[in-house]
Amino acid sequence: MTLVVIGPVTKDSVIIGDEESLNIGGATYFQSFVFEEFYKDYLAIVNCDDSRLVRYFPDSAKVNVIKKENTHFFVNRYPDKDNLDIRQQSSNFANIPIYPDDLENVLPEKIDAFVINPLNRHDFPHETMEYLKSFNVPIFLSLQGFLRLEGDKVNDNYTIRLEGFSKLGAILSGVDVIFLDEAEKNIMDIDCDVGEMVITNGSNGSRIVGDEEIRISAVECDNVVDTTGCGDTFMAAYIVQRLFHKSPEIAGNFASLIASKKIENFGPYNSK
């Protein structure tokens, strides 16, 4: 089964306490390391202005670039290094949408499922979502980008505020699984035809809402180093298990374990 993972690669500044590091990021980037380990039949498609960024992926041969005029930039600030659940985030809010025409020449001939990772509301216009739904394959979607709007300007970036909108229900309709956190769930005041919702809450674990609600405990970690990309790692690990036809509970517990291993090191998941 060929899994197609679509969404921006980013340039990130991660500030933990007084220490800053410059990294590559984006949900598609973090997820690719999980898929490379557990589900090798995948293709990542990223939108950015610098094709050299693909060299940071675990296998650059599995990355196609949609060349745009800008690249997403994020600042992830953790003011309390002893509590990495608290994050202050800002972004340049790059306006580099992915259109159906962009995808036609980079999609593989065989597609068995999509993973869609918007980082802001520009990334996946309504017509692109409808185009992807037309393939009639399972769709796993990270909600966060659709809720993000520019807040106050800070230097060259903008703080991030979350806000729902009237067309969100139509965008999500027909999606098999959506991933979001508790803050995002609290503002998603819509009814939508979604098969399953996976709602994360940092060190407090997660819950899966489908035919029933299943609570998943976070796996305790004695050495919390870097939580940036933890939710993306959780999402990829959950998707792997669901593609292997495991139950939501098994998938959630596996995802919690893999996410805990990711936060013990800087950067993406590493099994070594």
Side-chain angles (χ1 to χ4, degrees), residues 66-223:
I66 298 172
K67 195 69 180 294
K68 295 290 182 176
E69 67 281 358
N70 201 353
T71 294
H72 285 273
F73 178 74
F74 280 84
V75 177
N76 297 286
R77 182 185 298 275
Y78 300 89
D80 183 355
K81 64 181 180 181
D82 296 320
N83 184 4
L84 298 187
D85 277 346
I86 300 174
R87 178 176 67 173
Q88 299 167 351
Q89 197 173 43
S90 60
S91 172
N92 65 343
F93 275 86
N95 187 352
I96 49 173
I98 299 171
Y99 292 111
D101 288 350
D102 294 321
L103 292 168
E104 287 178 352
N105 295 324
V106 295
L107 288 174
E109 188 171 320
K110 176 67 174 173
I111 301 168
D112 292 291
F114 285 116
V115 179
I116 302 174
N117 295 308
L119 294 185
N120 67 36
R121 206 172 288 185
H122 302 304
D123 286 323
F124 288 86
H126 180 73
E127 60 264 39
T128 303
M129 289 299 301
E130 293 305 304
Y131 173 69
L132 295 173
K133 291 175 187 177
S134 73
F135 286 81
N136 295 314
V137 299
I139 292 177
F140 304 88
L141 183 143
S142 173
L143 180 70
Q144 60 181 357
F146 284 121
L147 300 179
R148 286 174 170 166
L149 291 176
E150 294 97 326
D152 297 329
K153 190 167 186 179
V154 180
N155 298 321
D156 294 327
N157 297 309
Y158 298 87
T159 60
I160 294 172
R161 61 188 179 92
L162 302 177
E163 185 177 302
F165 59 104
S166 60
K167 294 183 180 180
L168 184 58
I171 289 174
L172 298 181
S173 179
V175 171
D176 294 81
V177 185
I178 63 171
F179 297 79
L180 64 165
D181 64 24
E182 288 289 355
E184 292 157 355
K185 177 65 175 68
N186 288 338
I187 68 167
M188 195 187 75
D189 187 22
I190 60 166
D191 292 322
C192 56
D193 180 20
V194 173
E196 195 169 286
M197 286 194 293
V198 181
I199 307 165
T200 57
N201 194 19
S203 60
N204 294 314
S206 59
R207 56 194 179 102
I208 303 162
V209 181
D211 294 334
E212 58 180 335
E213 181 168 310
I214 301 168
R215 296 275 178 170
I216 303 294
S217 298
V219 173
E220 291 189 13
C221 177
D222 295 330
N223 184 32

Side-chain angles (χ1 to χ4, degrees), residues 19-49:
E19 298 182 5
E20 179 178 10
S21 61
L22 298 177
N23 304 299
I24 305 302
T28 299
Y29 169 76
F30 285 109
Q31 291 167 1
S32 68
F33 286 83
V34 179
F35 294 133
E36 185 65 25
E37 178 75 17
F38 300 107
Y39 199 94
K40 292 187 181 295
D41 188 7
Y42 73 94
L43 173 70
I45 299 175
V46 299
N47 50 324
C48 64
D49 68 352

